Amino acid sequence: MERQSIGMDTFSAENIRNCEKHVLSMQRRLDKAVANNDKEGIRETFDLLTKRSKAVVILATWRITQRNTAKYTAGVDGTAIPKGQSREYQNQIRHKIMAEIDIGRQPDKIKGIYIPKLNGKRRPLGIPTMHDRIVQEILRIGLNPIVEYHFNNNSYGFRPKRSCQDAMSQLFVKLAREDRPRYVIKNNLKGCFNHIKHEHIIETLNEWQVPKWATETIQKMLKSEIFHNGEVYDSETGAPQGGLISPLLANVALTTLDDFCNKFGTRKSNPIVRYADDFVIVSRNEPEAKQIQEEIAEHLFSKVGLTLSEEKTKITHIHKGFDFLGFNFRKYKTEIKGGKVKYVLSIRPQKEKVNNLLEECKEILDSHKTTTQEKIILLLTPKLVGWAMYYRHVVATRTFSRIDGKLWDKLYRWAKRRHPNKSKGWIINKYFQRTPERKSHFVDRESNIKLPTLGKIPTKRFVKVNNDHRVYDRDPKTLEYWNKREYLNAFDQIESGKRKRLFQQQKGKCTHCKGAITRDDVYEQRMHVHHVVPKSEGGTDNYSNLRLVHIECHREIHARKHVDKEDVGKV
């Protein structure tokens, strides 16, 4: 596998999958060394993975220059993937970048910019050079098996195999029963990525047996100068937002908070649930909650250099509810048989997130007043379905139906602007289609595509990750668990019945590269339906002519077909 790393097929789907398999096997080997406290094994395997493996360089280069959304954004050196160029030309740029990778090189300056936040403020963002992003990804790949072994089970953000839904489910477990804690400390850290002590991060990595050369490299990255508006600024604290390794380092720093909170819980239950710098701590009563808040504030400042955000930190009773990760948690008063009253926990989509979705849909309609109905459906569908699949694991049916109703009104007004002199019945007949339930759906009759109805997406409880299994453990039972979970989570995220059937027929594998189609592939819309015989050549939508493939594989298939046609023409 290592030998085939050079050539025009370096970034082919098949070679990328081979690199992934090789890197994963090395990560599992590193996990075993960590579990056995084999210091020499940790150092040797880490060095082999990060310094001597061509597979990890290929994989990191591909992820940063292909998968990463910032691939078209340059750092201070001006290097980026050229937008709109051919795949062959982009691959030439990737080869050039890859050939210059030197993991021990002094990091370049970081390009500093500011991006607007929803509250009107601005968030600082640091953009490393393409070279440094790839080096950070290589280090992240090598560090993951080490840090994952030490991370607390109550941490869910920016970790493999974990998600916001896992954090939400864990909070449900902590709050649902009547005898559970009633007070909640909702916390957020003030400028987390800007103020973390570098010394604390390095000390923690050293304690976890990360090789010294790697911690020294990370320290150089953390202290990289910031270049903004022609000025150069020192970086004495923090991990720049925009750095690939920054979320992992933030988790390293905040593991001390997770472990510190053990003292407030029971032998089997830590009261904290954390997702990056956003966390919740449950408590029995208000005085205890205030005491916990004071102690964690002192611990965070003295140990990590962080303070709690006064604006976003509060103590509240579960009957009043609170928002976390876009969900609203609240216990509602319910009458049961015999006139008794009980409080039942309900998790629903946060109102602000609902309003944001509707506002985004309105902006799309307002900025596309003259475009075709088909284009409107194609623009709105991924936004609506992605939003609904995120919230489908909570009490969301009424919210989905309410969104459908409000969106119908917006779509009708969009259509009415196009035909101001037509009647309501005419407009509905042209742009909408009646159903047996006497509802009308936004349907383009020419292309025969319609806007999905969120109210028809079934809600389903999310199955939380099992903490008994390490991510990189190669025990057969553990491997079986993660493979099964990945399959079920991916299947659960597929909204289309046709795609579900194809996914089952293909056993969750891409037919082109034979790699797994993951939950992230589905959620981030990196999964396409490929027509074996194109419709332009008489192909149909029958299952026998359809295949589920990764988006990169789909592009590769069509690129090869184009090359084959050119070759036939030459003959």
Side-chain angles (χ1 to χ4, degrees):
M1 201 288 307
E2 296 278 348
R3 295 172 187 164
Q4 64 184 47
S5 60
I6 303 299
M8 292 311 294
D9 289 334
T10 301
F11 302 106
S12 68
E14 181 182 3
N15 197 43
I16 291 299
R17 299 305 168 218
N18 286 338
C19 289
E20 287 177 335
K21 290 175 184 177
H22 177 77
V23 167
L24 182 57
S25 69
M26 293 294 294
Q27 288 178 309
R28 287 172 174 160
R29 178 174 160 185
L30 182 54
D31 172 85
K32 182 179 179 181
V34 176
N36 293 335
N37 196 26
D38 179 2
K39 297 179 183 180
E40 188 64 21
I42 293 172
R43 185 189 62 79
E44 288 184 358
T45 309
F46 185 86
D47 287 0
L48 182 62
L49 178 58
T50 57
K51 282 185 169 182
R52 290 149 53 191
S53 171
K54 291 179 182 177
V56 78
V57 177
I58 294 169
L59 185 59
T61 302
W62 178 80
R63 285 178 177 173
I64 300 304
T65 64
Q66 173 65 37
R67 278 273 174 98
N68 195 276
T69 54
K71 61 187 175 183
Y72 302 125
T73 305
V76 294
D77 65 350
T79 301
I81 295 300
K83 199 170 186 178
Q85 296 293 330
S86 68
R87 177 172 170 269
E88 289 76 13
Y89 182 71
Q90 289 185 344
N91 278 347
Q92 289 177 12
I93 302 298
R94 292 187 177 99
H95 275 282
K96 182 180 178 182
I97 294 171
M98 190 173 69
E100 297 172 353
I101 296 301
D102 179 3
I103 199 165
R105 194 180 89 181
Q106 176 68 32
D108 297 309
K109 292 180 178 66
I110 295 173
K111 181 179 179 181
I113 62 171
Y114 286 87
I115 57 174
K117 298 169 68 174
L118 291 175
N119 59 9
K121 297 181 181 180
R122 297 194 304 164
R123 175 185 288 114
L125 192 67
I127 304 174
T129 59
M130 194 69 72
H131 172 277
D132 289 349
R133 278 178 253 176
I134 293 170
V135 169
Q136 288 188 24
E137 177 64 10
I138 292 171
L139 285 171
R140 191 189 68 82
I141 290 171
L143 286 170
N144 256 337
I146 301 176
V147 299
E148 275 296 316
Y149 185 84
H150 296 280
F151 281 163
N152 193 288
N153 286 333
N154 292 284
S155 165
Y156 294 93
F158 301 107
R159 295 180 59 185
K161 311 290 188 184
R162 290 177 172 235
S163 66
C164 294
Q165 284 74 17
D166 286 302
M168 175 271 295
S169 299
Q170 179 66 0
L171 261 184
F172 179 86
V173 171
K174 291 185 179 295
L175 294 168
R177 279 176 24 188
E178 287 189 85
D179 62 345
R180 294 299 190 190
R182 298 179 180 180
Y183 280 85
V184 171
I185 313 168
K186 173 66 176 65
N187 296 276
N188 191 275
L189 297 172
K190 186 176 182 180
C192 174
F193 285 91
N194 300 327
H195 299 108
I196 295 176
K197 287 182 180 179
H198 295 168
E199 296 79 7
H200 172 65
I201 294 174
I202 301 304
E203 287 173 6
T204 304
L205 291 174
N206 286 333
E207 289 174 9
W208 294 352
Q209 309 297 329
V210 174
K212 187 176 181 180
W213 73 263
T215 60
E216 289 176 346
T217 301
I218 290 169
Q219 191 163 27
K220 290 177 185 177
M221 290 176 174
L222 291 172
K223 292 189 177 298
S224 294
E225 294 176 323
I226 308 294
F227 183 80
H228 177 64
N229 285 343
E231 299 287 338
V232 177
Y233 303 90
D234 292 334
S235 178
E236 296 302 325
T237 61
Q241 283 184 275
L244 271 294
I245 205 170
S246 294
L248 181 146
L249 296 180
N251 273 335
V252 169
L254 292 173
T255 297
T256 183
L257 169 65
D258 304 331
D259 296 341
F260 181 76
C261 286
N262 276 320
K263 65 181 288 187
F264 305 116
T266 63
R267 185 173 61 87
K268 294 183 178 181
S269 178
N270 186 322
I272 190 173
V273 175
R274 182 173 66 83
Y275 192 95
D277 62 338
D278 201 3
F279 61 97
V280 168
I281 299 174
V282 299
S283 178
R284 295 281 176 184
N285 53 63
E286 190 171 10
E288 181 186 66
K290 289 181 178 179
Q291 180 64 30
I292 292 174
Q293 186 178 12
E294 290 176 4
E295 290 193 34
I296 63 171
E298 182 181 347
H299 179 78
L300 279 169
F301 184 73
S302 63
K303 190 79 173 176
V304 194
L306 298 175
T307 57
L308 299 179
S309 169
E310 295 181 5
E311 179 185 351
K312 298 180 180 179
T313 298
K314 66 176 182 177
I315 296 173
T316 186
H317 196 285
I318 189 61
H319 292 176
K320 293 183 179 179
F322 65 95
D323 295 326
F324 182 60
L325 301 179
F327 302 101
N328 179 262
F329 297 75
R330 183 179 174 185
K331 279 191 174 181
Y332 291 86
K333 188 176 181 180
T334 305
E335 287 192 12
I336 56 177
K337 289 182 179 180
K340 292 183 178 181
V341 173
K342 67 180 296 186
Y343 286 84
V344 178
L345 180 65
S346 179
I347 306 176
R348 304 176 183 181
Q350 185 179 334
K351 288 182 180 180
E352 181 184 0
K353 302 301 181 182
V354 176
N355 294 335
N356 289 345
L357 173 68
L358 291 170
E359 184 60 31
E360 289 172 7
C361 292
K362 180 179 180 298
E363 289 175 2
I364 289 175
L365 294 174
D366 289 345
S367 59
H368 293 82
K369 294 178 181 178
T370 60
T371 195
T372 63
Q373 184 181 14
E374 179 184 10
K375 181 69 179 294
I376 290 293
I377 293 174
L378 293 176
L379 287 171
L380 290 176
T381 294
K383 182 174 292 293
L384 291 168
V385 172
W387 194 93
M389 298 309 282
Y390 180 87
Y391 288 105
R392 67 172 300 201
H393 302 290
V394 298
V395 182
T397 302
R398 287 186 180 180
T399 302
F400 288 174
S401 296
R402 188 162 65 250
I403 291 171
D404 286 335
K406 289 183 178 293
L407 188 57
W408 191 96
D409 293 337
K410 296 180 188 299
L411 290 167
Y412 174 78
R413 287 196 292 271
W414 174 84
K416 180 66 176 176
R417 280 198 300 264
R418 297 166 67 89
H419 308 282
N421 298 322
K422 297 295 184 180
S423 67
K424 182 175 182 179
W426 186 93
I427 291 173
I428 290 177
N429 186 59
K430 178 173 176 61
Y431 290 96
F432 297 86
Q433 187 178 67
R434 293 282 185 181
T435 66
E437 297 87 4
R438 300 182 62 80
K439 294 180 180 180
S440 54
H441 299 298
F442 196 63
V443 178
D444 179 56
R445 289 178 171 80
E446 290 185 12
S447 60
N448 196 31
I449 63 172
K450 69 177 181 179
L451 194 67
T453 304
L454 301 193
K456 288 188 175 181
I457 295 177
T459 56
K460 180 181 179 182
R461 177 168 291 185
F462 185 82
V463 179
K464 190 180 78 68
V465 66
N466 187 333
N467 290 326
D468 293 334
H469 298 286
R470 298 197 310 275
V471 172
Y472 299 104
D473 188 0
R474 50 185 176 187
D475 174 75
K477 289 184 178 179
T478 297
L479 296 178
E480 182 183 1
Y481 168 77
W482 288 123
N483 289 336
K484 183 177 180 181
R485 179 175 173 80
E486 190 65 78
Y487 177 91
L488 293 175
N489 279 347
F491 181 77
D492 190 52
Q493 280 293 117
I494 302 174
E495 185 268 336
S496 161
K498 179 171 284 188
R499 292 189 176 199
K500 279 182 179 290
R501 180 172 168 180
L502 288 170
F503 185 86
Q504 288 177 311
Q505 288 178 347
Q506 297 173 199
K507 298 182 180 180
K509 304 286 185 180
C510 168
T511 56
H512 181 69
C513 71
K514 311 305 179 185
I517 296 174
T518 67
R519 178 182 183 274
D520 288 344
D521 290 331
V522 180
Y523 184 71
E524 296 176 16
Q525 297 162 27
R526 298 198 300 254
M527 175 186 73
H528 278 192
V529 175
H530 168 63
H531 289 76
V532 179
V533 179
K535 297 181 82 172
S536 60
E537 298 176 11
T540 68
D541 287 328
N542 294 333
Y543 285 104
S544 59
N545 192 47
L546 303 178
R547 303 289 186 272
L548 275 186
V549 294
H550 296 109
I551 184 172
E552 295 93 353
C553 294
H554 202 192
R555 291 170 182 158
E556 191 170 289
I557 292 169
H558 285 284
R560 286 183 178 179
K561 282 189 175 182
H562 178 70
V563 171
D564 290 342
K565 285 183 179 179
E566 287 185 344
D567 290 342
V568 170
K570 291 176 183 177
V571 173

